[in-house]
Amino acid sequence: MPEILEHHSALAHLGLAARAVATRDAGQGVGLAEAPYRAAVNLRGRLDDAGFAAGAEQALGCALPAEVGAVATAGELSALALGPGEWLVVGGSDGPALRARLLAALEGVFASVVEVGQQYATIRIAGPKAAETLQKGCPLDFDAAAFPAGRCAQSLLSKIDVLVWKRSEEPAFEVTVRRSFADYAWRWLHDAAREYGVAILAG
Amino acid sequence: MLLIDCPHCGPRAELEFSYGHEAHIERPKAPEALSDAEWADYLFLRDNTKGVILERWVHSHGCRRWFNVARDTVTYEILAVYPMGAEPPALERKTYV
Ligand SMILES: [Zn+2]
């Protein structure tokens, strides 16, 4: 089988796997890891269209969240509300299958289903200084009270567009950027975290 | 920096937004019937208000949606945020000399 080039890491040139350690030392405030490829579909439609809402719910296993910044999760799939009538559906490693599943459930419905997983790279940043590191280059408020678990937000991180997702109560964030900005985002985060001590972790 | 209350995302820093200039400027229904002066007025001439201006913003690095803002150009205070296509809300307008 030839290697699936589209799933090639956007940070392969940094040799992260060889530099990765198993866990962050107690003295290190930040752990950084490149998340593996994950399927993603940009989904657009009108929530007040009953056919769209029901079709999406059937495909995802949960209702689409209406409020921008909310995230709904069912099994391995999550729907992140990017804007009114726009979601990023992520999960699993089979983009074409995710797209096909949504297309089948939304047959005949006014909607847009576009597979976009390969244009993104995701970096996980975790640790007691993760929020402070992000805060250096992003105007969002990363305090747990303002950015609780289960929320996402789009903003700028040191001038590049980012989607930040706080998946759990842990002090950890997933930072998704355009693939071509992955190198810049990684180097910026690594540099910003250096004063706190930074560990490279396996994805 | 302005803190702009996006109707979809809540208060966000100005650098996430792009400016869309004065709102409620209607494209002429019959542009071919306009004189050069009328066309120039539509294209280029703006009120340059000292006081409350109605303007458009887009949350370009957030939800990417357009909306209208009423802002005082003297104090920079944002007095109202309202949807595209809606009439501006009634506002108390301070006057400046
Ligand atoms: Zn917004």
Side-chain angles (χ1 to χ4, degrees):
Chain A
M1 276 285 284
E3 185 185 7
I4 301 173
L5 280 176
E6 303 90 68
H7 295 182
H8 201 69
S9 157
L11 297 174
H13 59 289
L14 297 179
L16 297 177
R19 296 155 62 193
V21 295
T23 53
R24 183 168 47 82
D25 289 343
Q28 291 173 317
V30 172
L32 282 179
E34 182 198 13
Y37 162 83
R38 87 181 155 200
V41 164
N42 184 282
L43 173 66
R44 298 194 66 166
R46 296 185 59 108
L47 260 195
D48 57 9
D49 172 352
F52 174 75
E57 182 167 353
Q58 184 214 319
L60 301 174
C62 61
L64 286 172
E67 189 198 349
V68 176
V71 181
T73 298
E76 67 171 8
L77 292 183
S78 292
L80 289 73
L82 301 181
E86 182 178 6
W87 297 265
L88 188 70
V89 178
V90 299
S93 57
D94 192 340
L98 178 57
R99 174 179 171 274
R101 185 164 151 185
L102 279 158
L103 273 182
L106 293 168
E107 171 112 48
V109 173
F110 182 67
S112 159
V113 178
V114 182
E115 191 198 345
V116 292
Q118 290 155 22
Q119 75 156 328
Y120 291 123
T122 295
I123 297 168
R124 295 194 182 114
I125 177 167
K129 295 293 186 182
E132 269 183 67
T133 302
L134 291 169
Q135 204 74 79
K136 289 184 183 184
C138 180
L140 294 172
D141 186 348
F142 293 103
D143 187 84
F147 204 137
R151 298 288 297 185
C152 68
Q154 295 169 98
S155 186
L156 289 166
L157 177 72
S158 186
K159 297 175 282 187
I160 59 172
D161 284 284
V162 288
L163 167 64
V164 184
W165 181 14
K166 189 161 193 290
R167 294 187 76 155
S168 70
E169 302 291 342
E170 300 294 308
F173 301 86
E174 287 198 354
V175 179
T176 296
V177 299
R178 293 280 161 87
R179 184 183 169 87
S180 54
F181 287 101
D183 176 82
Y184 174 87
W186 177 275
R187 290 174 193 270
W188 189 91
L189 285 167
H190 192 272
D191 182 58
R194 262 170 64 180
E195 66 167 302
Y196 310 121
V198 50
I200 296 173
L201 303 172
Chain B
M1 185 184 289
L2 294 174
L3 190 63
I4 301 174
D5 196 4
C6 171
H8 309 294
C9 306
R12 293 291 189 91
E14 181 185 345
L15 87 168
E16 293 183 4
F17 298 83
S18 301
Y19 190 52
H21 301 275
E22 199 172 320
H24 307 290
I25 292 172
E26 203 174 324
R27 187 180 168 82
K29 295 265 186 313
E32 71 282 4
L34 296 188
S35 68
D36 286 353
E38 288 167 327
W39 186 241
D41 181 58
Y42 160 69
L43 280 183
F44 304 118
L45 299 183
R46 299 296 179 257
D47 287 346
N48 196 24
T49 310
K50 187 177 185 183
V52 175
I53 182 181
L54 305 173
E55 58 192 14
R56 302 174 298 175
W57 288 86
V58 58
H59 195 186
S60 35
H61 301 288
C63 63
R64 293 177 291 281
R65 296 314 186 275
W66 285 91
F67 54 93
N68 291 315
V69 167
R71 182 174 62 92
D72 191 311
T73 58
V74 175
T75 63
Y76 281 74
E77 185 186 0
I78 291 175
L79 303 163
V81 172
Y82 58 101
M84 299 304 286
E87 289 297 316
L91 295 164
E92 192 193 328
R93 297 181 186 224
K94 290 192 197 110
T95 47
Y96 301 92
V97 281

